[in-house]
Amino acid sequence: MMSVTPIPALSDNYIWLIRQDTSQSVCVVDPGEAAPVIEFLERESLTLDTILITHHHQDHTGGLDALTKRYSPRVIGPDNPSIKGIDERVGEGDQVRIMGRLFEVMATPGHTLDHISYFTPGIPALLFCGDTLFCAGCGRLFEGTPEQMFTSLNRFAELPEDTLVFAAHEYTQANLTFARAADPDNDAVTHALQECEKARMLDRPTLPSTIGRELKINPYLRVGTDSVRQAAGSQGANDDDLATFTTLREWKNRF
């Protein structure tokens, strides 16, 4: 059985640790810093076999140099030469075997142009989506266009609803607060925010989410609904789904 464990890092990052229960070899996703990974590995007597990188931002790659020097893992990431230390540069349509399971590489630009995500079907299906899809939110558009991000999110929306979504940041509470304004008639958002607030009071992660849950609470995946369309209309253009998405993302930037 494959398990996934969050390692908190920096101010609000999660470095996801993937392992098969029968093996001491593990994979980590987007190590923004090395120290918490090393501490976890040493405490649990684990060996770092593989690192997955989704994009070039420092809070996802900052621990790469120290970890590769200490453990010499296989490093897989986007075809971006600015990321030093990647052994296997992958892109859309490539497949990689991680901890015994085959992962599909998806090009998911928007947050950055080099952003990729990793999806493995099965029981359970797993999605490691970096800063593209968050619980009840999506990443800022630092390099890509609204159309690119909208396309990336729509690809996720087509995945099986029971897919577990492992985003890279604990942004859920802020995202749900915005979702309540952007989707005011949605009782699922209100309920999710109450659950989130309880979890954070206990310092518990609000992740992973699921694709099915995101389809119910994430306004960026609900741009065709009357509630979201009307809320977006009060802030700017909502002529079609892309215009509504663009308005929502700009509204969130100043929310």
Side-chain angles (χ1 to χ4, degrees):
M1 175 67 71
M2 179 170 279
S3 63
V4 183
T5 302
I7 301 176
L10 302 170
S11 62
D12 51 34
N13 283 65
Y14 289 128
I15 301 168
W16 296 106
L17 183 142
I18 310 169
R19 68 177 297 191
Q20 291 285 4
D21 291 341
T22 58
S23 174
Q24 295 301 103
S25 296
V26 301
C27 169
V28 297
V29 184
D30 284 348
E33 59 178 340
V37 176
I38 293 170
E39 191 276 333
F40 189 96
L41 296 176
E42 299 300 311
R43 185 178 72 244
E44 301 294 328
S45 299
L46 300 174
T47 300
L48 182 59
D49 178 81
T50 306
I51 295 174
L52 298 180
I53 301 293
T54 61
H55 65 291
H56 67 271
H57 283 164
Q58 180 71 11
D59 64 324
H60 294 252
T61 63
L64 191 54
D65 184 58
L67 291 174
T68 54
K69 288 178 179 176
R70 187 180 183 105
Y71 299 104
S72 300
R74 172 190 183 198
V75 182
I76 302 168
D79 188 10
N80 182 344
S82 72
I83 308 174
K84 306 303 180 184
I86 291 180
D87 303 313
E88 300 177 39
R89 299 190 181 275
V90 295
E92 174 66 32
D94 288 334
Q95 295 182 325
V96 292
R97 188 166 294 278
I98 306 296
M99 304 291 107
R101 280 178 63 167
L102 200 62
F103 281 72
E104 303 169 9
V105 180
M106 304 171 66
T108 51
H111 179 67
T112 64
L113 294 177
D114 67 342
H115 203 296
I116 58 176
S117 299
Y118 302 89
F119 169 72
T120 179
I123 302 174
L126 311 175
L127 174 67
F128 296 91
C129 52
D131 285 1
T132 299
L133 176 66
F134 297 126
C135 182
C138 73
R140 285 179 177 265
L141 306 181
F142 285 113
E143 298 174 3
T145 65
E147 185 173 10
Q148 285 176 317
M149 178 64 91
F150 187 58
T151 299
S152 296
L153 295 176
N154 282 338
R155 293 189 66 190
F156 291 152
E158 294 173 357
L159 296 175
E161 291 195 9
D162 61 355
T163 300
L164 294 174
V165 177
F166 296 92
H169 289 274
E170 183 57 74
Y171 289 164
T172 307
Q173 190 166 358
N175 286 339
L176 284 168
T177 301
F178 173 71
R180 189 167 53 182
D183 196 1
D185 300 331
N186 190 343
D187 291 338
V189 169
T190 301
H191 179 68
L193 182 56
Q194 292 170 348
E195 289 186 330
C196 171
E197 289 170 343
K198 291 177 183 178
R200 296 311 296 156
M201 285 181 63
L202 298 172
D203 199 30
R204 294 175 180 170
T206 61
L207 300 170
S209 186
T210 67
I211 292 296
R213 185 170 187 246
E214 293 308 301
L215 291 171
K216 294 177 181 177
I217 66 172
N218 193 317
Y220 302 106
L221 300 181
R222 294 173 48 80
V223 293
T225 64
D226 290 342
S227 178
V228 174
R229 184 66 64 86
Q230 290 171 10
S234 69
Q235 300 294 318
N238 66 341
D239 302 328
D240 55 32
D241 288 352
L242 177 57
T244 301
F245 169 79
T246 303
T247 296
L248 286 179
R249 186 56 264 187
E250 292 173 350
W251 182 10
K252 177 61 167 63
N253 290 344
R254 60 181 188 272
F255 185 77

